[in-house]
């Protein structure tokens, strides 16, 4: 069973090919970071246009890498939401055009479900049930995952996502977009405890989080500094920010383990690549006798492989009738806002 995965929800065009027996055969990714850096963030219209330029070329590249042709495909999986409406439409348009031409099913995939399953491409892969922390530019959520398709929201950020807080802190420190890698690198040179910042909701009895107060704390520190451009100050402030954010996520993860009594933990999403966060979460989970799983480093950000694996899992569980319904060509739609609990 051969499934092509297409991801275009934001600023990465990702394509991958997965086989039900052999696993991931090939994948390719084009990042738009260089294009959006000039604007300090993602420009939706530019993102959509770039997906149009890259999509078909990446499909052909992946098929060539795998030694396959379009006629070998059994289904196409595509990110249906959530994400930028225009960007989602480009990926969906490509997927449905291929599906129509080959008369094969097109499977709409939830972007966050893709991130949840990305660690399944690692070796070893996690076993159900597990706690999942999705931490990215747009989402910061704790979930209980009992089986494929069985997801329970345990807590989430009430305002900024962790990745947003990184990007806004980077702007205040005069660092380039995207902010995560730049702030993390600067923090490595800073002194722990030199600048203490707010840790909102750290001791709240729930698994909800808030990062807007941390961002405001960084802004206050910059405004009150004698010389905000002093390199030692910038390094210490970056360290203070990273330590505060990691403290909150670590405390909430420990609380989630106690609440659920689960030992397996999955951490996914773009921010899961952060070195300081990985080190702290791994330490906290291991010291409690648990096991923590991450996607392969190159699959932490948005990519086609996570969409392909999620699509394959859905396809395997469908009846022949359900598969046949996916070949009916009566148009398509995307879901820019799509809560995971509506799956």
């Amino acid at each position: 069973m051969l499934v092509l995965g297409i991801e275009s929800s934001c600023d990465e065009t990702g394509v991958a090919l997965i086989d039900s027996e052999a696993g991931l055969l090939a994948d390719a990714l084009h990042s738009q970071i260089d294009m959006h850096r000039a604007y300090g963030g993602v420009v939706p219209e530019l993102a959509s246009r770039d997906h149009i330029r890259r999509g078909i070329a990446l499909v052909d590249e992946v098929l060539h890498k795998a030694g396959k042709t379009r006629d070998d495909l059994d289904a196409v999986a595509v990110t249906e939401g959530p994400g930028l409406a225009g960007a989602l439409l480009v990926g969906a348009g490509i997927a449905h055009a291929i599906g129509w031409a080959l008369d094969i099913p097109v499977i709409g995939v939830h972007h966050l479900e893709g991130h949840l399953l990305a660690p399944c491409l690692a070796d070893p892969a996690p076993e159900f049930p597990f706690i999942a922390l999705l931490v990215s530019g747009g989402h910061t959520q704790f979930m209980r995952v009992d089986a494929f398709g069985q997801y329970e929201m345990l807590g989430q950020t009430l305002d900024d996502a962790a990745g947003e807080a990184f990007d806004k802190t980077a702007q205040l420190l005069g660092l380039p977009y995207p902010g995560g890698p730049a702030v993390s690198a600067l923090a490595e040179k800073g002194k722990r405890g030199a600048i203490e910042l707010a840790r909102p909701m750290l001791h709240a009895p729930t698994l909800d989080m808030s990062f807007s107060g941390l961002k405001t704390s960084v802004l206050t520190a910059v405004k009150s500094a004698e010389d905000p451009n002093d390199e030692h100050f910038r390094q210490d402030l970056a360290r203070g920010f990273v330590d505060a954010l990691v403290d909150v996520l670590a405390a909430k993860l420990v609380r989630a383990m106690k609440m659920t009594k689960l030992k397996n933990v999955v951490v996914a999403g773009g921010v899961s690549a952060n070195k300081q966060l990985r080190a702290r979460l791994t330490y906290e989970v291991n010291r409690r006798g648990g096991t923590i799983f991450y996607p392969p480093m190159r699959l932490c950000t948005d990519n086609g492989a996570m969409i392909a694996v999620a699509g394959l899992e859905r396809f395997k569980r469908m009846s022949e009738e359900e598969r046949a319904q996916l070949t009916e060509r009566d148009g398509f739609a995307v879901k820019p806002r799509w809560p995971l609990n509506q799956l």
Side-chain angles (χ1 to χ4, degrees):
M1 190 180 297
L2 200 61
V3 176
L4 181 73
I6 300 175
E7 155 63 22
S8 69
S9 65
C10 190
D11 59 345
E12 274 108 9
T13 315
V15 179
L17 194 63
I18 194 166
D19 183 86
S20 56
E21 300 298 327
L24 184 63
L25 300 183
D27 65 289
L29 181 73
H30 174 77
S31 173
Q32 301 174 1
I33 284 176
D34 289 341
M35 178 177 67
H36 295 296
R37 182 175 286 127
Y39 304 94
V42 177
V43 181
E45 179 63 23
L46 294 181
S48 301
R49 293 181 183 184
D50 201 62
H51 288 309
I52 293 172
R53 285 193 292 268
R54 311 289 179 178
I56 295 297
L58 288 179
V59 169
D60 292 339
E61 178 184 337
V62 165
L63 289 170
H64 178 73
K65 282 182 180 178
K68 303 291 184 180
T69 69
R70 295 181 187 179
D71 290 334
D72 294 320
L73 297 176
D74 294 299
V76 182
V78 63
T79 306
E80 194 170 294
L84 302 174
L88 290 168
L89 282 168
V90 174
I94 293 171
H96 283 274
I98 294 172
W100 179 82
L102 301 176
D103 195 29
I104 58 176
V106 177
I107 306 157
V109 171
H110 194 291
H111 180 78
L112 297 186
E113 184 172 53
H115 276 304
L116 277 177
L117 297 179
C120 294
L121 295 167
D123 186 18
E127 295 183 358
F128 299 110
F130 57 77
I131 300 165
L133 168 59
L134 294 180
V135 55
S136 69
H139 303 88
T140 305
Q141 302 172 333
F142 283 98
M143 294 183 185
R144 179 186 175 113
V145 180
D146 286 305
F148 177 79
Q150 297 180 25
Y151 314 123
E152 177 189 356
M153 181 74 71
L154 300 176
Q156 60 185 326
T157 180
L158 303 179
D159 38 60
D160 289 3
E164 288 178 287
F166 265 107
D167 286 338
K168 291 173 181 177
T169 296
Q171 289 180 338
L172 292 171
L173 291 171
L175 297 171
Y177 172 86
V183 173
S184 182
L186 190 63
E188 288 186 357
K189 302 174 183 178
K191 182 180 178 181
R192 176 181 292 275
I195 299 178
E196 290 290 337
L197 300 176
R199 288 158 169 75
M201 301 185 71
L202 178 66
H203 301 294
T206 70
L207 295 179
D208 289 332
M209 297 153 284
S210 169
F211 295 111
S212 64
L214 175 56
K215 174 197 68 179
T216 302
S217 188
V218 173
L219 176 61
T220 301
V222 170
K223 287 184 174 181
S224 60
E226 290 184 10
D227 181 5
N229 295 316
D230 177 77
E231 192 61 17
H232 291 297
F233 167 77
R234 295 172 70 251
Q235 293 168 357
D236 290 343
L237 184 56
R239 179 60 182 267
F241 167 79
V242 171
D243 286 348
L245 185 140
V246 169
D247 279 353
V248 171
L249 291 176
K252 296 294 182 177
L253 178 56
V254 170
R255 183 170 289 117
M257 293 180 71
K258 291 178 179 177
M259 288 173 57
T260 62
K261 295 181 171 55
L262 294 178
K263 296 292 188 179
N264 281 350
V265 174
V266 160
V267 183
V271 183
S272 70
N274 181 272
K275 182 191 300 185
Q276 293 97 336
L277 181 64
R278 280 196 176 212
R280 177 68 180 280
L281 296 185
T282 300
Y283 169 77
E284 297 292 352
V285 172
N286 288 346
R287 72 190 291 251
R288 288 166 175 80
T291 307
I292 192 164
F293 300 87
Y294 301 94
M297 191 64 77
R298 65 186 182 84
L299 299 181
C300 286
T301 55
D302 297 348
N303 61 84
M306 69 184 198
I307 303 304
V309 71
L312 174 62
E313 291 302 318
R314 290 208 164 271
F315 192 52
K316 289 192 298 187
R317 289 165 172 77
M318 290 180 183
S319 65
E320 289 300 323
E321 181 180 356
E322 289 172 325
R323 293 179 183 180
Q325 289 176 351
L326 292 178
T327 62
E328 297 176 2
R329 311 301 170 189
D330 57 352
F332 64 89
V334 294
K335 301 172 183 176
R337 296 183 181 277
W338 187 9
L340 190 59
N341 60 12
Q342 292 183 5
L343 275 177

